[in-house]
Protein backbone atom coordinates (compact mmCIF):
# COMPACT_ATOMS: atom_id res chain seq x y z
CA UNK A 1 0.00 0.00 0.00
CA UNK A 2 1.34 3.43 -0.91
CA UNK A 3 2.62 5.61 1.87
CA UNK A 4 1.75 9.29 1.64
CA UNK A 5 3.36 12.10 3.58
CA UNK A 6 1.04 14.05 5.85
CA UNK A 7 -0.10 17.56 5.10
CA UNK A 8 1.61 19.91 7.59
CA UNK A 9 -0.21 21.78 10.32
CA UNK A 10 -0.58 25.56 10.04
CA UNK A 11 -1.92 28.18 12.41
CA UNK A 12 -5.62 29.00 12.45
CA UNK A 13 -4.58 32.68 12.33
CA UNK A 14 -6.45 35.55 13.98
CA UNK A 15 -9.74 35.08 12.13
CA UNK A 16 -10.70 31.51 12.96
CA UNK A 17 -14.00 32.77 14.36
CA UNK A 18 -15.20 33.26 10.76
CA UNK A 19 -15.07 29.58 9.95
CA UNK A 20 -14.87 27.29 12.94
CA UNK A 21 -17.39 28.12 15.67
CA UNK A 22 -20.87 26.64 15.55
CA UNK A 23 -23.89 28.07 17.29
CA UNK A 24 -24.38 24.77 19.12
CA UNK A 25 -20.64 24.07 19.41
CA UNK A 26 -20.34 24.61 23.17
CA UNK A 27 -23.33 22.33 23.79
CA UNK A 28 -22.17 18.73 23.78
CA UNK A 29 -25.62 18.19 25.27
CA UNK A 30 -28.58 20.57 25.00
CA UNK A 31 -29.08 23.18 27.69
CA UNK A 32 -31.31 21.77 30.39
CA UNK A 33 -30.03 18.19 30.09
CA UNK A 34 -30.26 16.38 33.42
CA UNK A 35 -26.85 16.17 35.09
CA UNK A 36 -25.08 18.47 32.61
CA UNK A 37 -22.10 20.47 33.85
CA UNK A 38 -20.36 23.55 32.52
CA UNK A 39 -16.62 23.32 32.09
CA UNK A 40 -15.33 26.85 31.99
CA UNK A 41 -11.89 28.34 31.94
CA UNK A 42 -9.48 30.90 30.59
CA UNK A 43 -6.76 30.40 28.00
CA UNK A 44 -3.76 32.55 28.90
CA UNK A 45 -0.31 33.22 27.44
CA UNK A 46 3.19 33.39 28.92
CA UNK A 47 2.48 36.74 30.56
CA UNK A 48 -0.81 35.55 32.01
CA UNK A 49 -2.74 37.64 29.49
CA UNK A 50 -5.98 36.20 28.15
CA UNK A 51 -5.88 34.72 24.66
CA UNK A 52 -9.01 36.08 22.97
CA UNK A 53 -8.47 34.35 19.63
CA UNK A 54 -8.29 30.70 20.63
CA UNK A 55 -10.59 27.76 20.02
CA UNK A 56 -11.08 24.96 22.55
CA UNK A 57 -12.29 21.58 21.27
CA UNK A 58 -13.23 18.64 23.50
CA UNK A 59 -13.72 14.94 22.81
CA UNK A 60 -14.94 12.39 25.34
CA UNK A 61 -16.83 9.21 26.11
CA UNK A 62 -20.46 9.26 27.19
CA UNK A 63 -21.40 8.73 30.87
CA UNK A 64 -21.29 4.96 30.41
CA UNK A 65 -17.79 5.15 28.97
CA UNK A 66 -18.75 4.45 25.36
CA UNK A 67 -17.98 6.16 22.07
CA UNK A 68 -20.37 6.46 19.15
CA UNK A 69 -17.54 5.40 16.85
CA UNK A 70 -16.83 2.27 14.77
CA UNK A 71 -13.30 1.85 16.17
CA UNK A 72 -14.48 1.32 19.72
CA UNK A 73 -13.59 -2.40 19.99
CA UNK A 74 -16.35 -2.99 22.53
CA UNK A 75 -18.88 -2.16 19.83
CA UNK A 76 -20.15 1.17 18.73
CA UNK A 77 -22.01 3.11 21.42
CA UNK A 78 -25.52 3.87 20.26
CA UNK A 79 -26.38 6.66 22.65
CA UNK A 80 -26.15 9.31 19.93
CA UNK A 81 -23.97 11.31 22.32
CA UNK A 82 -21.93 13.69 20.14
CA UNK A 83 -18.99 13.71 22.53
CA UNK A 84 -17.56 16.75 20.78
CA UNK A 85 -17.55 20.32 21.99
CA UNK A 86 -16.13 23.44 20.42
CA UNK A 87 -15.96 26.95 21.81
CA UNK A 88 -13.97 30.02 20.78
CA UNK A 89 -12.56 32.16 23.59
CA UNK A 90 -14.13 35.55 24.18
CA UNK A 91 -12.34 38.88 24.73
CA UNK A 92 -11.49 37.76 28.27
CA UNK A 93 -9.97 34.52 26.99
CA UNK A 94 -12.85 32.52 28.46
CA UNK A 95 -14.51 29.45 27.00
CA UNK A 96 -17.34 27.21 28.23
CA UNK A 97 -18.50 23.70 27.27
CA UNK A 98 -21.77 22.16 28.52
CA UNK A 99 -21.45 18.41 28.77
CA UNK A 100 -22.01 15.26 30.81
CA UNK A 101 -19.19 13.74 32.83
CA UNK A 102 -17.55 10.93 30.85
CA UNK A 103 -17.56 7.45 32.34
CA UNK A 104 -14.66 5.25 33.43
CA UNK A 105 -12.81 3.68 30.50
CA UNK A 106 -10.80 0.47 30.24
CA UNK A 107 -7.10 1.18 29.81
CA UNK A 108 -6.36 -1.95 27.79
CA UNK A 109 -4.12 -3.60 30.38
CA UNK A 110 -6.93 -4.73 32.62
CA UNK A 111 -7.05 -1.45 34.53
CA UNK A 112 -9.25 1.59 34.29
CA UNK A 113 -8.77 5.10 33.06
CA UNK A 114 -10.26 7.79 35.24
CA UNK A 115 -12.98 9.91 33.61
CA UNK A 116 -11.28 12.35 31.29
CA UNK A 117 -11.84 14.62 28.32
CA UNK A 118 -9.29 15.15 25.54
CA UNK A 119 -8.77 18.78 24.58
CA UNK A 120 -7.29 20.52 21.55
CA UNK A 121 -6.45 24.22 21.70
CA UNK A 122 -5.91 26.22 18.53
CA UNK A 123 -4.96 29.90 18.38
CA UNK A 124 -3.26 32.60 16.42
CA UNK A 125 0.42 32.31 17.27
CA UNK A 126 0.25 28.52 17.52
CA UNK A 127 1.46 26.73 14.41
CA UNK A 128 0.00 23.42 15.63
CA UNK A 129 -2.76 22.62 18.09
CA UNK A 130 -1.78 21.71 21.63
CA UNK A 131 -3.39 18.69 23.28
CA UNK A 132 -4.23 18.25 26.94
CA UNK A 133 -6.62 16.21 29.12
CA UNK A 134 -9.19 17.27 31.68
CA UNK A 135 -9.62 15.16 34.83
CA UNK A 136 -12.04 15.99 37.65
CA UNK A 137 -11.10 16.67 41.26
CA UNK A 138 -14.11 14.85 42.71
CA UNK A 139 -13.46 11.62 40.76
CA UNK A 140 -11.08 8.81 41.71
CA UNK A 141 -7.97 9.58 39.64
CA UNK A 142 -5.60 7.38 41.65
CA UNK A 143 -5.30 4.51 39.18
CA UNK A 144 -4.98 6.51 35.99
CA UNK A 145 -1.77 5.63 34.15
CA UNK A 146 -1.70 8.76 32.00
CA UNK A 147 -2.04 11.06 34.99
CA UNK A 148 0.57 9.01 36.84
CA UNK A 149 2.99 9.49 33.93
CA UNK A 150 2.95 13.24 34.47
CA UNK A 151 5.46 14.73 36.95
CA UNK A 152 3.63 14.98 40.24
CA UNK A 153 4.21 18.71 40.69
CA UNK A 154 2.49 19.42 37.36
CA UNK A 155 -0.42 16.99 37.67
CA UNK A 156 -2.78 19.58 39.14
CA UNK A 157 -2.79 21.46 35.83
CA UNK A 158 -4.83 18.57 34.39
CA UNK A 159 -7.46 18.46 37.11
CA UNK A 160 -10.60 20.60 36.83
CA UNK A 161 -11.80 22.14 40.08
CA UNK A 162 -15.45 22.11 41.20
CA UNK A 163 -16.94 25.53 40.58
CA UNK A 164 -20.53 26.76 40.59
CA UNK A 165 -22.57 24.77 38.07
CA UNK A 166 -19.67 22.59 36.98
CA UNK A 167 -15.91 22.81 36.85
CA UNK A 168 -13.09 25.24 36.15
CA UNK A 169 -10.24 24.25 33.83
CA UNK A 170 -7.78 26.97 32.86
CA UNK A 171 -5.25 26.49 30.07
CA UNK A 172 -1.89 28.23 30.55
CA UNK A 173 0.03 27.99 27.30
CA UNK A 174 3.35 28.99 28.81
CA UNK A 175 5.14 30.04 31.99
CA UNK A 176 4.19 29.66 35.62
CA UNK A 177 1.65 26.88 36.08
CA UNK A 178 2.01 25.91 32.43
CA UNK A 179 -0.57 23.27 31.55
CA UNK A 180 0.76 19.82 30.76
CA UNK A 181 0.50 19.26 27.02
CA UNK A 182 0.77 15.88 25.36
CA UNK A 183 2.35 14.48 22.23
CA UNK A 184 -0.32 12.19 20.84
CA UNK B 1 -2.11 -4.72 21.47
CA UNK B 2 -3.75 -7.88 22.72
CA UNK B 3 -4.78 -7.54 26.30
CA UNK B 4 -6.49 -9.45 29.06
CA UNK B 5 -9.59 -7.40 28.41
CA UNK B 6 -9.42 -8.09 24.68
CA UNK B 7 -9.07 -4.45 23.72
CA UNK B 8 -7.43 -4.22 20.34
CA UNK B 9 -7.10 -0.64 19.24
CA UNK B 10 -5.90 0.86 15.98
CA UNK B 11 -2.95 3.17 16.43
CA UNK B 12 -1.66 5.94 14.27
CA UNK B 13 1.89 6.47 13.04
CA UNK B 14 3.87 9.48 14.11
CA UNK B 15 4.69 11.82 11.23
CA UNK B 16 8.39 12.07 10.34
CA UNK B 17 10.39 14.83 11.97
CA UNK B 18 10.06 18.07 10.02
CA UNK B 19 6.53 17.44 8.74
CA UNK B 20 4.93 19.85 11.18
CA UNK B 21 6.09 23.25 12.38
CA UNK B 22 7.78 23.74 15.74
CA UNK B 23 5.65 25.37 18.41
CA UNK B 24 8.23 28.13 18.82
CA UNK B 25 9.31 29.84 15.62
CA UNK B 26 11.09 33.17 15.94
CA UNK B 27 10.14 34.23 12.40
CA UNK B 28 6.47 34.14 13.40
CA UNK B 29 6.54 36.52 16.32
CA UNK B 30 3.19 35.57 17.81
CA UNK B 31 4.54 32.17 18.88
CA UNK B 32 6.74 33.83 21.50
CA UNK B 33 4.29 33.88 24.40
CA UNK B 34 2.09 31.06 23.18
CA UNK B 35 4.36 28.03 22.86
CA UNK B 36 4.71 25.52 25.70
CA UNK B 37 8.16 25.61 27.25
CA UNK B 38 7.93 22.30 29.11
CA UNK B 39 8.51 19.05 27.22
CA UNK B 40 5.37 17.36 25.90
CA UNK B 41 4.31 14.21 27.75
CA UNK B 42 3.68 11.18 25.54
CA UNK B 43 -0.03 10.34 25.46
CA UNK B 44 -0.55 6.66 24.67
CA UNK B 45 -3.22 6.11 22.03
CA UNK B 46 -6.10 4.76 24.07
CA UNK B 47 -9.83 4.71 23.43
CA UNK B 48 -10.32 8.46 23.53
CA UNK B 49 -7.44 9.10 21.15
CA UNK B 50 -8.29 6.48 18.49
CA UNK B 51 -11.92 7.56 18.26
CA UNK B 52 -13.14 10.98 17.22
CA UNK B 53 -16.22 13.00 16.37
CA UNK B 54 -18.23 11.81 13.38
CA UNK B 55 -19.93 14.93 12.13
CA UNK B 56 -22.38 14.23 9.39
CA UNK B 57 -24.74 16.03 7.01
CA UNK B 58 -26.45 17.75 9.92
CA UNK B 59 -23.62 20.26 9.98
CA UNK B 60 -24.21 21.46 6.41
CA UNK B 61 -26.41 24.23 5.09
CA UNK B 62 -27.64 24.58 1.52
CA UNK B 63 -24.82 26.60 -0.08
CA UNK B 64 -22.06 25.75 2.36
CA UNK B 65 -19.82 24.33 -0.38
CA UNK B 66 -20.41 27.23 -2.79
CA UNK B 67 -19.10 30.45 -1.31
CA UNK B 68 -20.24 32.37 -4.41
CA UNK B 69 -23.93 31.62 -3.80
CA UNK B 70 -24.36 32.55 -0.17
CA UNK B 71 -25.79 35.99 -1.03
CA UNK B 72 -28.14 37.34 -3.65
CA UNK B 73 -25.30 38.94 -5.63
CA UNK B 74 -22.06 37.67 -7.11
CA UNK B 75 -18.89 38.19 -5.10
CA UNK B 76 -16.04 40.16 -6.64
CA UNK B 77 -12.97 38.37 -7.89
CA UNK B 78 -11.77 35.31 -9.75
CA UNK B 79 -14.12 32.37 -9.34
CA UNK B 80 -12.29 29.13 -8.58
CA UNK B 81 -13.18 25.49 -7.98
CA UNK B 82 -11.15 23.72 -5.28
CA UNK B 83 -11.34 19.93 -5.22
CA UNK B 84 -9.36 17.22 -3.55
CA UNK B 85 -9.41 14.09 -1.45
CA UNK B 86 -9.05 13.52 2.25
CA UNK B 87 -6.76 10.51 2.67
CA UNK B 88 -4.84 8.80 5.40
CA UNK B 89 -1.13 8.11 5.06
CA UNK B 90 -1.82 4.75 3.43
CA UNK B 91 -3.93 6.32 0.70
CA UNK B 92 -7.24 5.21 2.18
CA UNK B 93 -10.03 7.72 1.58
CA UNK B 94 -11.71 9.16 4.65
CA UNK B 95 -15.39 9.24 3.79
CA UNK B 96 -18.33 11.23 5.17
CA UNK B 97 -15.96 13.56 6.96
CA UNK B 98 -16.48 17.26 7.58
CA UNK B 99 -14.14 19.70 5.80
CA UNK B 100 -14.34 23.34 6.87
CA UNK B 101 -12.70 26.31 5.15
CA UNK B 102 -12.39 30.03 5.77
CA UNK B 103 -10.60 32.71 3.80
CA UNK B 104 -10.17 36.36 2.86
CA UNK B 105 -12.05 37.92 -0.06
CA UNK B 106 -10.50 38.82 -3.42
CA UNK B 107 -9.00 41.95 -1.90
CA UNK B 108 -7.35 40.06 0.93
CA UNK B 109 -9.84 41.19 3.58
CA UNK B 110 -11.56 38.91 6.10
CA UNK B 111 -15.10 39.49 7.24
CA UNK B 112 -13.90 39.94 10.80
CA UNK B 113 -14.01 42.98 13.05
CA UNK B 114 -10.32 42.56 13.84
CA UNK B 115 -9.24 42.89 10.20
CA UNK B 116 -8.30 46.54 9.64
CA UNK B 117 -6.62 46.13 6.25
CA UNK B 118 -8.35 48.90 4.27
CA UNK B 119 -9.33 46.76 1.32
CA UNK B 120 -13.10 46.81 0.79
CA UNK B 121 -15.37 44.21 2.34
CA UNK B 122 -17.45 42.41 -0.25
CA UNK B 123 -21.14 42.42 0.68
CA UNK B 124 -21.58 39.18 -1.27
CA UNK B 125 -18.77 37.19 0.29
CA UNK B 126 -18.53 35.76 3.80
CA UNK B 127 -15.51 33.54 3.20
CA UNK B 128 -16.64 30.41 5.04
CA UNK B 129 -17.54 27.02 3.67
CA UNK B 130 -18.25 23.42 4.69
CA UNK B 131 -18.47 20.16 2.80
CA UNK B 132 -18.59 16.44 3.51
CA UNK B 133 -16.25 14.05 1.75
CA UNK B 134 -17.91 11.41 -0.42
CA UNK B 135 -17.27 7.64 -0.40
CA UNK B 136 -14.01 8.26 -2.25
CA UNK B 137 -12.87 10.94 0.21
CA UNK B 138 -13.55 13.73 -2.31
CA UNK B 139 -14.67 17.24 -1.44
CA UNK B 140 -15.40 20.22 -3.65
CA UNK B 141 -15.80 23.95 -3.08
CA UNK B 142 -16.63 26.81 -5.40
CA UNK B 143 -15.20 30.06 -4.11
CA UNK B 144 -13.22 33.20 -4.99
CA UNK B 145 -9.45 33.27 -5.15
CA UNK B 146 -8.40 35.06 -1.96
CA UNK B 147 -6.08 38.06 -2.18
CA UNK B 148 -2.75 38.49 -0.46
CA UNK B 149 -2.72 40.91 2.47
CA UNK B 150 -0.20 42.75 4.61
CA UNK B 151 0.37 42.01 8.28
CA UNK B 152 2.68 43.43 10.88
CA UNK B 153 4.90 40.45 11.65
CA UNK B 154 8.00 42.00 10.06
CA UNK B 155 8.94 44.82 7.68
CA UNK B 156 6.78 44.79 4.56
CA UNK B 157 5.23 41.45 5.49
CA UNK B 158 2.54 39.97 3.23
CA UNK B 159 0.71 36.69 3.57
CA UNK B 160 0.62 34.63 0.38
CA UNK B 161 -2.94 33.94 -0.81
CA UNK B 162 -4.30 30.99 1.16
CA UNK B 163 -7.43 29.15 2.24
CA UNK B 164 -7.63 27.76 5.78
CA UNK B 165 -8.69 24.09 5.93
CA UNK B 166 -9.90 22.18 8.98
CA UNK B 167 -10.38 18.40 8.90
CA UNK B 168 -11.21 15.84 11.58
CA UNK B 169 -10.15 12.57 9.99
CA UNK B 170 -11.51 9.49 11.74
CA UNK B 171 -9.78 9.89 15.10
CA UNK B 172 -8.66 12.50 17.59
CA UNK B 173 -5.06 11.77 16.54
CA UNK B 174 -5.84 12.78 12.94
CA UNK B 175 -7.26 16.25 13.66
CA UNK B 176 -5.61 18.81 11.39
CA UNK B 177 -5.86 22.50 10.59
CA UNK B 178 -3.75 23.63 7.66
CA UNK B 179 -3.58 26.25 4.91
CA UNK B 180 -3.83 25.66 1.17
CA UNK B 181 -1.60 27.86 -0.98
CA UNK B 182 -1.58 28.58 -4.72
CA UNK B 183 1.16 27.57 -7.17
CA UNK B 184 4.08 29.89 -7.89
CA UNK B 185 3.14 32.55 -5.35
CA UNK B 186 5.89 35.21 -5.29
CA UNK B 187 5.27 35.79 -1.57
CA UNK B 188 6.40 32.35 -0.35
CA UNK B 189 10.00 33.39 0.17
CA UNK B 190 9.25 35.96 2.87
CA UNK B 191 6.39 34.24 4.68
CA UNK B 192 7.34 32.76 8.06
CA UNK B 193 4.11 30.77 8.46
CA UNK B 194 4.61 28.92 5.16
CA UNK B 195 8.32 28.53 5.89
CA UNK B 196 7.80 27.25 9.43
CA UNK B 197 7.63 23.71 7.98
CA UNK B 198 11.18 22.37 8.23
CA UNK B 199 10.92 19.67 5.57
CA UNK B 200 10.88 21.13 2.07
CA UNK B 201 8.83 18.27 0.60
CA UNK B 202 6.25 18.55 3.35
CA UNK B 203 6.04 22.32 2.80
CA UNK B 204 5.32 21.75 -0.90
CA UNK B 205 2.35 19.55 0.07
CA UNK B 206 0.52 22.70 1.17
CA UNK B 207 0.57 24.08 -2.38
CA UNK B 208 -2.42 23.22 -4.54
CA UNK B 209 -2.03 22.17 -8.17
CA UNK B 210 -3.62 24.04 -11.06
CA UNK B 211 -6.15 21.63 -12.54
CA UNK B 212 -6.87 22.40 -16.18
CA UNK B 213 -9.15 19.39 -16.46
CA UNK B 214 -11.55 20.72 -13.86
CA UNK B 215 -11.36 24.30 -15.08
CA UNK B 216 -14.73 25.34 -16.49
CA UNK B 217 -14.68 27.20 -19.75
CA UNK B 218 -15.70 30.86 -19.48
CA UNK B 219 -16.47 30.38 -15.81
CA UNK B 220 -13.83 29.24 -13.27
CA UNK B 221 -10.24 28.16 -12.78
CA UNK B 222 -9.68 24.98 -10.79
CA UNK B 223 -7.13 23.91 -8.18
CA UNK B 224 -6.61 20.48 -6.70
CA UNK B 225 -5.59 19.98 -3.07
CA UNK B 226 -5.38 16.58 -1.41
CA UNK B 227 -5.15 16.52 2.37
CA UNK B 228 -3.31 13.63 4.02
CA UNK B 229 -3.62 12.79 7.71
CA UNK B 230 -1.66 10.21 9.70
CA UNK B 231 -1.88 6.57 8.60
CA UNK B 232 -2.50 3.59 10.83
CA UNK B 233 0.19 1.34 12.19
CA UNK B 234 0.27 -1.87 10.15
CA UNK B 235 0.52 -4.00 13.28
CA UNK B 236 -3.19 -3.53 13.90
CA UNK B 237 -3.90 -5.94 11.11
CA UNK B 238 -1.41 -8.60 12.13
CA UNK B 239 -2.55 -11.85 13.62
CA UNK B 240 -2.93 -12.15 17.32
CA UNK B 241 -0.13 -14.71 17.57
CA UNK B 242 2.36 -12.22 16.11
CA UNK B 243 1.95 -10.13 19.20
CA UNK B 244 2.80 -10.42 22.85
CA UNK B 245 6.14 -12.05 22.05
Amino acid sequence: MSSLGSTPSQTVGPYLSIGLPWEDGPFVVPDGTQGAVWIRGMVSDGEGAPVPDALVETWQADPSGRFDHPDDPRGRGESGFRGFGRCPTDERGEYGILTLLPGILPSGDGGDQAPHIDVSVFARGMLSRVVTRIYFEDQDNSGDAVLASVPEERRATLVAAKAGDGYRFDVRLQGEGETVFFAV
Amino acid sequence: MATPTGLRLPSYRQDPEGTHPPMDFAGYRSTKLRHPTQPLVLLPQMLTEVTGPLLGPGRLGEHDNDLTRQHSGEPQGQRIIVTGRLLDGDGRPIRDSLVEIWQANAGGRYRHTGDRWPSPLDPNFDGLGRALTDADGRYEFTTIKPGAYPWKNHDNAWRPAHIHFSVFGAAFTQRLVTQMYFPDDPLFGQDPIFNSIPDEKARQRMISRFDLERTEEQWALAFQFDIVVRGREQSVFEDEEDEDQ
Side-chain angles (χ1 to χ4, degrees):
Chain A
M1 190 167 273
S2 64
S3 185
L4 304 174
S6 291
T7 307
S9 172
Q10 293 268 271
T11 179
V12 290
Y15 306 128
L16 65 96
S17 64
I18 290 178
L20 292 180
W22 305 333
E23 207 172 317
D24 66 346
F27 297 90
V28 179
V29 291
D31 210 359
T33 300
Q34 185 74 26
V37 291
W38 277 102
I39 298 171
R40 296 192 176 93
M42 183 173 89
V43 181
S44 57
D45 71 12
E47 289 178 343
V51 175
D53 43 15
L55 183 82
V56 173
E57 288 186 348
T58 61
W59 171 244
Q60 63 170 96
D62 72 18
S64 64
R66 304 299 288 262
F67 294 95
D68 184 6
H69 192 280
D71 287 341
D72 186 329
R74 303 162 297 170
R76 186 169 179 168
E78 298 291 345
S79 63
F81 181 70
R82 188 174 82 194
F84 178 68
R86 163 186 266 191
C87 186
T89 54
D90 64 17
E91 68 281 357
R92 296 165 299 142
E94 296 273 345
Y95 74 93
I97 301 279
L98 185 73
T99 190
L100 294 169
L101 278 185
I104 294 167
L105 292 171
S107 63
D109 59 6
D112 287 333
Q113 297 186 74
H116 64 272
I117 296 178
D118 275 13
V119 180
S120 303
V121 181
F122 302 85
R124 174 183 68 86
M126 290 168 50
L127 287 160
S128 299
R129 68 168 171 170
V130 288
V131 168
T132 187
R133 266 188 174 196
I134 301 174
Y135 291 87
F136 301 91
E137 70 167 359
D138 55 349
Q139 303 294 307
D140 178 8
N141 297 316
S142 57
D144 189 273
V146 170
L147 203 52
S149 75
V150 170
E152 193 172 0
E153 67 278 10
R154 301 188 63 206
R155 235 169 262 168
T157 69
L158 299 176
V159 182
K162 285 286 280 179
D165 51 1
Y167 295 87
R168 177 121 196 130
F169 185 78
D170 292 325
V171 178
R172 296 179 182 85
L173 296 176
Q174 188 186 89
E176 192 170 338
E178 183 175 307
T179 301
V180 170
F181 297 108
F182 292 97
V184 60
Chain B
M1 65 190 137
T3 68
T5 52
L7 264 192
R8 286 166 60 85
L9 301 181
S11 67
Y12 292 84
R13 291 195 297 275
Q14 299 291 334
D15 288 319
E17 190 82 12
T19 304
H20 296 290
M23 290 302 297
D24 181 20
F25 190 71
Y28 176 26
R29 287 192 328 202
S30 302
T31 64
K32 189 173 178 207
L33 292 173
R34 295 184 170 194
H35 70 274
T37 56
Q38 299 288 321
L40 302 182
V41 176
L42 185 68
L43 182 59
Q45 296 179 25
M46 300 166 95
L47 276 163
T48 314
E49 290 72 40
V50 302
T51 56
L54 301 175
L55 302 159
R59 303 260 46 120
L60 298 186
E62 189 183 3
H63 293 305
D64 278 4
N65 73 338
D66 187 344
L67 288 72
T68 68
R69 294 178 67 197
Q70 294 171 351
H71 291 270
S72 54
E74 290 264 325
Q76 298 289 312
Q78 172 65 62
R79 199 183 291 111
I80 60 172
I81 297 164
V82 179
T83 65
R85 296 175 78 200
L86 177 60
L87 303 166
D88 75 9
D90 298 308
R92 292 187 197 89
I94 300 178
R95 60 189 298 168
D96 304 324
S97 188
L98 183 68
V99 179
E100 299 168 290
I101 64 169
W102 71 104
Q103 64 169 96
N105 68 23
R109 177 101 182 251
Y110 287 87
R111 184 174 291 287
H112 188 285
T113 52
D115 190 351
R116 303 297 169 83
W117 162 228
S119 176
L121 279 171
D122 183 338
N124 292 315
F125 192 72
D126 291 338
L128 66 99
R130 294 196 172 115
L132 278 190
T133 59
D134 68 12
D136 204 23
R138 289 184 195 284
Y139 70 85
E140 178 169 340
F141 290 102
T142 302
T143 183
I144 293 293
K145 187 172 179 190
Y149 57 85
W151 59 315
K152 292 177 178 162
N153 183 73
H154 55 278
D155 288 346
N156 202 17
W158 294 77
R159 289 300 331 275
H162 61 276
I163 298 176
H164 295 268
F165 271 78
S166 162
V167 299
F168 290 89
F172 183 80
T173 53
Q174 292 183 319
R175 180 85 177 93
L176 180 72
V177 171
T178 189
Q179 298 182 23
M180 178 198 113
Y181 297 91
F182 293 86
D184 305 319
D185 195 313
L187 296 170
F188 286 150
Q190 58 79 59
D191 183 54
I193 293 178
F194 176 76
N195 289 300
S196 67
I197 308 305
D199 180 73
E200 168 68 19
K201 284 184 180 158
R203 200 182 313 148
Q204 297 299 319
R205 292 198 285 269
M206 302 188 294
I207 304 175
S208 57
R209 183 177 64 80
F210 174 62
D211 186 356
L212 183 63
E213 201 174 309
R214 288 302 307 273
T215 291
E216 295 198 19
E217 191 172 354
Q218 302 292 322
W219 198 75
L221 292 175
F223 295 88
Q224 192 250 327
F225 182 58
D226 288 345
I227 301 167
V228 179
V229 293
R230 291 162 63 178
R232 290 187 179 199
E233 296 282 6
Q234 296 304 312
S235 60
V236 175
F237 306 103
E238 288 170 8
D239 290 333
E240 185 112 28
E241 59 199 30
D242 291 335
E243 301 182 316
D244 290 339
Q245 289 176 358

